[in-house]
Amino acid sequence: MTLEKRAVLVLGMHRSGTSALTRIINLMGFAAPRTLMAATDANEAGFWESEVFADIDERILKTCGHKWSSRKRLAGDVVDAARRAGLIDAVRRALKDEYGDAPAIVIKDPRISRLMAIYGPVLAEAGYRVAPLLALRNPQEVAASVAKRDGFTMGKGLGIWLRYTLDCERATRGQPRSVVGFDDLMADWRGTMTRAAQQLGEPWPSLSPEAVAEIDGALKPNLKHHALPPPSASSWRGLLAGRTYDAMRRLMADPHDRAACRTLDLVSAVFRPF
């Protein structure tokens, strides 16, 4: 099959800068979904993701005995469970309804970080080649953000961050991909996105002056509500999150760094959430 269309897939944990990254990709000429999730006090600039996909993905997780905040590994055949529940067909319909025949699209729902076994084949079937961007943010800041928004403990927030980060890294290993740091994006979005294009092996469309100005305006300092040091080794989850964050930072420079991948495999093997 010739994959003539392009789908940029923004992966990563909630509160990791996925919305800002998705908006930049959208302004670069990649179609956003038709049914956008409404902005909230927790994200005044908007989420830039589809309510339809978020609902389907939560239903898929529920079918597997999970929810968005689950920290345990998905067990069993997720694809088979989703197929028996009619949810793979729901993903196919949503892709058509939300994007029509658009040749270049951006898709973001953090839950997809755990559901690549479904989304990869569905997108390929629809003629899209997938360009994964893995959004990365200091796990301490992510945990603090979800603690404020959802009332979780910092430990639970770190556990969820670990699950999403480990799952999306493993699911995209061996593919052209790029890890995009939230701080790097805020400090120098042009350089960050240029590096991402080089790592993906395909240039971004040319930007109009209006789009550049809108991106500059969208990346405001108030997008970042928490500025914290990286996790310490004072707790087991802090140690694992710190090791994972360091390894993911190495993947920013080389998305296929073997030593970093070995570290992530080791963390994944010993991570036992509760």
Side-chain angles (χ1 to χ4, degrees):
M1 178 188 296
T2 301
L3 305 180
E4 297 182 349
K5 299 185 289 185
R6 190 181 186 194
V8 176
L9 203 50
V10 177
L11 306 174
M13 170 61 182
H14 304 256
R15 317 303 295 165
S16 292
T18 55
S19 299
L21 178 55
T22 302
R23 180 54 172 157
I24 290 174
I25 300 300
N26 170 235
L27 289 169
M28 285 180 162
F30 290 76
R34 290 170 176 165
T35 313
L36 285 175
M37 190 177 290
T40 67
D41 290 341
N43 197 339
E44 296 176 359
F47 293 89
W48 299 100
E49 68 184 75
S50 165
E51 287 184 350
V52 177
F53 280 117
D55 176 68
I56 293 171
D57 295 341
E58 192 66 20
R59 287 161 59 198
I60 294 172
L61 291 174
K62 185 176 180 180
T63 297
C64 299
H66 290 256
K67 56 184 177 180
W68 77 267
S69 57
S70 297
R71 289 154 286 171
K72 293 184 178 180
R73 192 191 306 270
L74 290 174
D77 190 334
V78 176
V79 176
D80 184 60
R83 181 182 293 111
R84 285 187 282 106
L87 293 172
I88 292 184
D89 285 339
V91 172
R92 292 189 181 106
R93 289 193 299 270
L95 183 63
K96 183 66 175 178
D97 293 343
E98 292 293 280
Y99 294 99
D101 295 320
I105 65 176
V106 57
I107 302 179
K108 170 240 175 182
D109 172 29
R111 299 166 186 82
I112 297 175
S113 301
R114 309 198 62 196
L115 301 174
M116 282 295 290
I118 292 171
Y119 274 83
V122 167
L123 286 165
E125 177 186 276
Y128 287 98
R129 61 188 183 280
V130 175
L133 294 181
L134 282 60
L136 179 67
R137 185 180 179 187
N138 176 355
Q140 283 283 102
E141 295 175 356
V142 173
S145 185
V146 296
K148 179 179 179 181
R149 188 189 69 177
D150 301 291
F152 296 160
T153 64
M154 287 291 289
K156 181 173 181 177
L158 288 175
I160 304 169
W161 180 89
L162 276 163
R163 183 78 279 146
Y164 275 72
T165 304
L166 293 169
D167 282 3
C168 71
E169 187 282 321
R170 193 67 186 86
T172 59
R173 194 178 295 181
Q175 304 175 33
R177 64 179 181 179
S178 182
V179 178
V180 178
F182 183 49
D183 289 338
D184 302 78
L185 194 69
M186 295 291 290
D188 178 20
W189 69 264
R190 293 169 179 81
T192 299
M193 297 311 295
T194 296
R195 174 180 57 79
Q198 292 169 345
Q199 292 174 341
L200 292 171
E202 190 168 358
W204 303 116
S206 298
L207 283 170
S208 68
E210 293 77 16
V212 170
E214 192 162 353
I215 294 172
D216 285 335
L219 296 179
K220 299 175 182 177
N222 63 2
L223 281 178
K224 185 172 182 176
H225 300 290
H226 301 274
L228 298 171
S232 72
S234 59
S235 71
W236 182 237
R237 273 172 288 195
L239 173 64
L240 294 182
R243 293 286 177 85
T244 299
Y245 186 53
D246 289 345
M248 292 296 292
R249 292 286 299 177
R250 293 202 300 275
L251 291 179
M252 288 175 59
D254 176 2
H256 310 291
D257 184 293
R258 292 183 179 180
C261 290
R262 285 195 296 270
T263 296
L264 294 166
D265 286 341
L266 178 60
V267 171
S268 184
V270 300
F271 178 44
R272 294 291 183 270
F274 53 87

